[in-house]
Amino acid sequence: MKNSTFFRAGIILFCLAFLMVGMVSHADSLSDKQAAIEQEKEEIQEKLENQQEILETNQNKIAAIEKEKDARQSEIDKMEADLEHIFEAIAQIDVTIADAERQYNEKLALLKERSLIMYQNANYSKTQMFIQSESLLDFLNRQSYYNAILKSDMELLEEVSALKQELENKKRLQVESKANIETLKAEKEALLSNLESEAANLENLSASTKALIAELEKQEEEMRVESDRIAALIQSSSSSSSSSNVSYGGGPLLWPAAASRYISSYFGMRMHPIYHYMRMHNGIDIAAAGGTDILAAEAGTVIVSSYNSGYGNYIVVDHGGGISTLYAHASRRIAGVGDHVSRGQVIALVGTTGNSTGNHLHFEVRKNGNPVNPLNYL
């Protein structure tokens, strides 16, 4: 008899020990899942903050680039005006050089002609000059006059040649200056082109971001419209006697997420995680791993099992007595419209469909179709 008692006591102790190990193992598993969910939540929040910072940085860069573009354009306008003056100066110098070359060539031709004649008739000229001279003094005067003319021609030739050289030097300097300014202008235009290209890329990126935000806002509006439609549907279903074979009689609802009790966002006004401004949040968000079970918070009838861009995959269960619950962003819907579900029954799986930033369950409680704080019922 005593041995039988000891045997039963041993079995009981063994079972208790096994249950304790299982509970510890289950607690460790939940702890690990909770840590993973926390890490995922932090990563999502960091990505959202980075996206917002990128958008703001792009806007600042665009403003700075536009300012720099204006400054560069002013420099280019000034350079183009300087180039116009240089072109005009070079054109004027070309005219002056052409005139100097004409005078130079005329004088050179005249000098060559006179020199040739004087060379061919050198002896005759001297003899004739001597014969025609009235005196030695007259001959010397004629010779001096001839030499003076020759010297004057040579000086004129040298003067014209020097003028030509000076003008050519000026032209060379102006051409070099023009080339330098054109090189600088080309560099500035290349810089301006790069700035315009960078600004265009940033504009496109900002436009894409704005388009994304506009699309998300559209989805948010669709969610609001869908919420109003759900409210009307709930009120209509609640007024129908065949809508549910149960009637919620009060008491706490069952926690709807099997794998997590962490609330990442509460009911009421909140800073929207995507739009970054205050918006009404009609339920609570429970961060949970994707694919984990979503449980019916109370027995009732499924009146909605659908998808839209805001809620993603979502289910609404009418529990009677004016109370209904909504489960959104599911990766998969299990229960269908008209199904009678029991308290704790798996009706969907956690996901991140619709307007969502990560795996979680968006859970709402509605009274007569209007959202109320779920924490007052859980």
Side-chain angles (χ1 to χ4, degrees):
M1 185 67 178
K2 287 182 180 180
N3 290 337
S4 177
T5 301
F6 285 136
F7 179 72
R8 284 196 296 270
I11 291 176
I12 291 171
L13 288 174
F14 176 78
C15 291
L16 287 173
F18 180 78
L19 288 173
M20 289 294 292
V21 170
M23 290 174 65
V24 170
S25 176
H26 181 64
D28 289 342
S29 178
L30 289 177
S31 177
D32 291 342
K33 287 182 179 179
Q34 186 65 36
I37 291 168
E38 284 291 333
Q39 183 178 357
E40 183 178 5
K41 175 177 174 292
E42 290 177 1
E43 291 175 354
I44 291 170
Q45 189 61 37
E46 183 178 356
K47 288 179 181 179
L48 287 171
E49 291 174 356
N50 288 340
Q51 184 179 8
Q52 187 66 19
E53 288 177 2
I54 289 171
L55 180 60
E56 292 175 359
T57 300
N58 287 343
Q59 295 294 343
N60 292 335
K61 281 185 178 180
I62 289 172
I65 287 173
E66 288 298 328
K67 184 177 180 181
E68 189 170 356
K69 279 173 59 181
D70 292 341
R72 300 297 184 197
Q73 189 61 56
S74 296
E75 292 180 12
I76 288 175
D77 292 342
K78 183 178 181 302
M79 288 176 191
E80 289 177 344
D82 291 341
L83 283 173
E84 287 298 323
H85 291 306
I86 290 173
F87 294 150
E88 292 174 2
I90 289 175
Q92 185 61 41
I93 288 174
D94 287 340
V95 172
T96 305
I97 288 176
D99 185 61
E101 286 177 341
R102 180 183 59 78
Q103 294 182 41
Y104 174 81
N105 290 330
E106 288 177 356
K107 294 293 182 180
L108 182 60
L110 179 60
L111 183 62
K112 285 181 179 180
E113 182 181 355
R114 290 170 63 173
S115 297
L116 179 61
I117 293 171
M118 291 176 67
Y119 174 77
Q120 290 175 347
N121 301 284
N123 294 330
Y124 174 79
S125 296
K126 289 181 180 180
T127 302
Q128 288 296 108
M129 189 184 301
F130 180 76
I131 292 171
Q132 293 174 1
S133 298
E134 296 178 357
S135 65
L136 180 59
L137 180 60
D138 185 30
F139 173 73
L140 293 175
N141 286 337
R142 287 173 181 258
Q143 182 71 28
S144 176
Y145 179 72
Y146 171 79
N147 291 335
I149 292 174
L150 183 60
K151 181 180 179 182
S152 177
D153 287 344
M154 292 300 296
E155 288 177 350
L156 179 59
L157 180 61
E158 291 175 358
E159 181 182 345
V160 172
S161 179
L163 176 60
K164 178 184 177 183
Q165 185 63 44
E166 180 182 356
L167 291 174
E168 287 181 344
N169 288 338
K170 286 184 177 180
K171 181 177 179 181
R172 177 177 55 79
L173 292 174
Q174 290 283 35
V175 169
E176 290 177 356
S177 177
K178 170 180 171 289
N180 290 336
I181 290 182
E182 285 184 328
T183 299
L184 184 59
K185 176 175 176 283
E187 291 175 355
K188 297 291 185 182
E189 286 177 334
L191 178 60
L192 182 64
S193 177
N194 291 336
L195 289 172
E196 288 175 343
S197 177
E198 185 177 351
N201 291 336
L202 290 172
E203 285 284 7
N204 291 336
L205 180 59
S206 294
S208 300
T209 305
K210 290 176 182 177
L212 175 60
I213 291 176
E215 178 62 25
L216 292 174
E217 287 178 336
K218 178 183 176 182
Q219 293 178 7
E220 189 81 355
E221 177 61 19
E222 290 175 355
M223 184 187 290
R224 186 193 65 78
V225 172
E226 182 67 7
S227 179
D228 294 342
R229 189 188 74 82
I230 291 169
L233 179 61
I234 290 172
Q235 291 175 352
S236 174
S237 298
S238 297
S239 63
S240 173
S241 59
S242 61
S243 64
S244 178
N245 59 357
V246 295
S247 179
Y248 173 69
L253 298 174
L254 180 70
W255 188 261
S260 173
R261 298 187 69 87
Y262 176 74
I263 300 175
S264 59
S265 185
Y266 288 82
F267 176 85
M269 296 299 293
R270 67 165 182 172
M271 180 65 69
H272 198 284
I274 296 176
Y275 311 138
H276 292 275
Y277 54 79
M278 298 301 290
R279 291 182 73 97
M280 180 63 189
H281 188 227
N282 289 336
I284 60 172
D285 290 343
I286 304 171
T292 54
D293 293 340
I294 297 175
L295 311 177
E298 187 56 78
T301 301
V302 177
I303 59 174
V304 177
S305 180
S306 184
Y307 176 92
N308 75 6
S309 59
Y311 283 118
N313 287 313
Y314 72 104
I315 288 176
V316 178
V317 179
D318 179 16
H319 305 292
I323 299 298
S324 57
T325 51
L326 180 149
Y327 313 78
H329 306 308
S331 61
R332 184 163 71 93
R333 290 175 280 117
I334 296 175
V337 174
D339 289 351
H340 298 288
V341 298
S342 59
R343 180 184 174 98
Q345 181 177 330
V346 178
I347 58 174
L349 302 179
V350 172
T352 182
T353 57
N355 191 2
S356 169
T357 59
N359 287 311
H360 72 286
L361 166 62
H362 174 81
F363 177 70
E364 296 181 13
V365 175
R366 297 196 174 216
K367 185 174 183 180
N368 298 322
N370 300 313
V372 292
N373 192 344
L375 295 182
N376 294 336
Y377 289 82
L378 292 170

